[in-house]
């Protein structure tokens, strides 16, 4: 029943949507069949736009991962450095990404660099937090054990703290990967001129030309992209730590 | 693995305290014989575990010294109250960790010590697949793989159920007999102390001070059934009386 329930809920949602669509014009609310027709008609453009948005989101996630891991390891190395820099990392999280995006266009010009940068900015903090907490989460007895056998700082990091931090890091990555798609699309709203085509640009252009069915199709593609990315992180989590960490099983 | 050379331990005028707090150890002098098992018994919070940390070099004394007869700090091993296994490493990789950290990997020594603790077939298992007793055996194997001259044990069997603890007592004594290390074991279990040790030192504190130093001259090998013999009971009562006086 637990597996059937979401399917039933989705069918009910489609039925409700279709019923509501019959009472409104197609421009305001296209029905599921209109959206399906738009997908069939525009699939090549949708696929290309999804690929470019995915590229920006994943590049942003990668940049954020490298930056956040470097930051978390540096914070582990020096509490003073953490005290000095963590408030600014928090500040980055609190500044609305929509407000930064126009500035990024000024700095980086139109195109993928903007959406990559916005994706990286929104991903950075959850990864930094997950990694920082994880690197400090091991028991003091484990640290004593390694020090007893002469482990230095790097050995402690690689043999104990980094593996121990993986469940926390994956928790941060699960949050970050969804945000990466959102961040990329927000960047595309402001910084995409259609070269290359992206989902954000497609949403804006189709909405402006009242082609609402395509807008819905692009939104569905964005959601699908986020779900695929989330699933990939869950799969990676299960493959890397699933054997020893009970919470990692999908 | 060959039998090791046992190391005597001397605490000489040892003093230690956390900054801003009262001293936990203040000028303690205590000598422990090589090749013997000494049980340290005392009330909770008296500083017994701190003494073990000082002996292991995990804490640095404010004054005085811990003198061991081994060839440096690398020859002591520590068995914690919890098995402290790394969950992502197999049994074999956990046991190999101390050698790996020292840059002297020795797979044959790891397999030999696993055989010795009865885990020869469990090398590829992960800690989550082990029972509490098996985890403690891995912890002992990890300590033994470095061929320590001094084994420091901080309530190693306290988290085990009665049956497993009894089995672990037998196995620990067998390992001690064959390896010949000096053992210093902190325990709250007076029966365990009298059953395993050659000497029971009751410490009160902080600051730590000996209130009873009792030689346990019961014949070896010892077994659980000896708990019911009058000699055993008399020594247990002596230790309990010392603890009662201090609390």
């Amino acid at each position: 029943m637990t597996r059937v329930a979401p399917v039933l809920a989705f069918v009910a949602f489609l039925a409700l949507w279709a019923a509501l669509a019959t009472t409104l014009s197609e421009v305001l609310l296209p029905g599921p069949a209109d959206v399906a027709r738009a997908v069939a008609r525009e699939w090549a453009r949708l696929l290309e736009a999804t690929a470019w948005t995915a590229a920006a989101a994943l590049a942003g996630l990668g940049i954020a991962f490298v930056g956040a891991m470097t930051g978390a390891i540096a914070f582990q190395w020096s509490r003073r450095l953490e005290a000095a820099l963590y408030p600014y990392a928090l500040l980055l999280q609190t500044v609305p990404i929509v407000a930064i995006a126009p500035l990024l266009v000024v700095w980086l010009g139109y195109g993928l660099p903007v959406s990559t940068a916005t994706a990286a900015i929104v991903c950075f903090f959850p990864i930094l937090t997950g990694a920082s907490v994880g690197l400090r989460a091991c028991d003091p007895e484990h640290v004593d054990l390694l020090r007893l056998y002469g482990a230095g700082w790097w050995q402690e990091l690689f043999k104990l703290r980094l593996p121990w931090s993986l469940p926390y890091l994956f928790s941060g990555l699960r949050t970050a990967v969804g945000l990466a798609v959102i961040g990329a699309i927000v960047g595309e709203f402001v910084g995409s001129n259609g070269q290359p085509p992206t989902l954000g640009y497609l949403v804006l252009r189709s909405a402006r030309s009242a082609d609402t069915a395509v807008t819905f199709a692009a939104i569905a593609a964005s959601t699908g992209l986020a779900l695929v990315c989330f699933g990939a992180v869950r799969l990676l989590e299960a493959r890397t730590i699933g054997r020893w960490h009970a919470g990692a099983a999908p | 693995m060959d039998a090791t050379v046992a190391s005597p331990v001397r605490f000489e005028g040892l003093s230690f305290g956390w900054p801003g707090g009262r001293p936990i150890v203040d000028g303690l002098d205590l000598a422990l014989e090589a090749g013997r098992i000494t049980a340290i018994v005392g009330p909770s919070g008296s500083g017994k575990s701190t003494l073990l940390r000082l002996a292991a070099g995990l804490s640095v004394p404010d004054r005085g010294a811990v003198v061991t007869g081994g060839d440096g700090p690398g020859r002591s091993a520590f068995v914690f109250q919890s098995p402290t296994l790394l969950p992502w490493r197999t049994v074999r990789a956990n046991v190999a960790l101390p050698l790996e950290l020292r840059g002297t990997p020795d797979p044959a020594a790891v397999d030999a010590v696993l055989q010795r603790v009865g885990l020869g077939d469990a090398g590829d298992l992960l800690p989550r697949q082990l029972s509490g007793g098996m985890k403690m055996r891995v912890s002992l194997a990890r300590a033994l793989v470095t061929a320590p001259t001094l084994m420091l044990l901080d309530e190693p069997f306290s988290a085990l159920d009665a049956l497993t603890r009894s089995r672990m007592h037998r196995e620990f004594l067998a390992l001690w007999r064959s390896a010949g290390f000096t053992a210093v074991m902190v325990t709250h279990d007076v029966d365990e102390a009298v059953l395993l040790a050659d000497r029971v030192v009751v410490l009160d504190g902080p600051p730590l001070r000996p209130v009873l130093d009792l030689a346990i001259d019961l014949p070896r090998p010892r077994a659980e059934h000896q708990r019911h013999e009058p000699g055993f009971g008399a020594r247990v009562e002596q230790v309990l009386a010392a603890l009662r006086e201090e609390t």
Side-chain angles (χ1 to χ4, degrees), chain A residues 8 14 44 54 56 59-60 74 77 85 107 137 199-200 202 210 213 221 224 236 238 243-244:
Chain A
L8 288 177
L14 284 181
W77 177 67
L85 296 183
W107 288 338
L199 286 175
L202 201 57
L236 186 66
R243 281 179 69 230
W244 57 270

Side-chain angles (χ1 to χ4, degrees), chain A residues 141-142 144 159 243-244, chain B residues 53 78 82 85 87 100 128:
Chain A
E141 283 190 345
H142 283 101
D144 283 344
K159 302 272 184 199
R243 281 179 69 230
W244 57 270
Chain B
R53 291 180 59 84
F78 204 108
S82 64
L85 304 181
E100 212 176 291
R128 68 186 285 194

Side-chain angles (χ1 to χ4, degrees), chain A residues 141-142 144-151 155 159-160 163-164 242-246, chain B residues 53 56 58 77-78 80 82 84-89 98 100-102 126 128 142:
Chain A
E141 283 190 345
H142 283 101
D144 283 344
L145 175 78
L146 264 77
R147 289 180 183 169
L148 184 73
Y149 293 114
Q155 278 184 313
K159 302 272 184 199
L160 175 66
W164 200 281
R243 281 179 69 230
W244 57 270
H245 189 257
Chain B
R53 291 180 59 84
L58 290 170
F78 204 108
F80 296 89
S82 64
T84 57
L85 304 181
L86 301 181
W88 55 89
R89 284 180 161 247
E100 212 176 291
L101 290 171
R102 288 178 181 174
L126 286 166
R128 68 186 285 194
R142 185 180 56 199

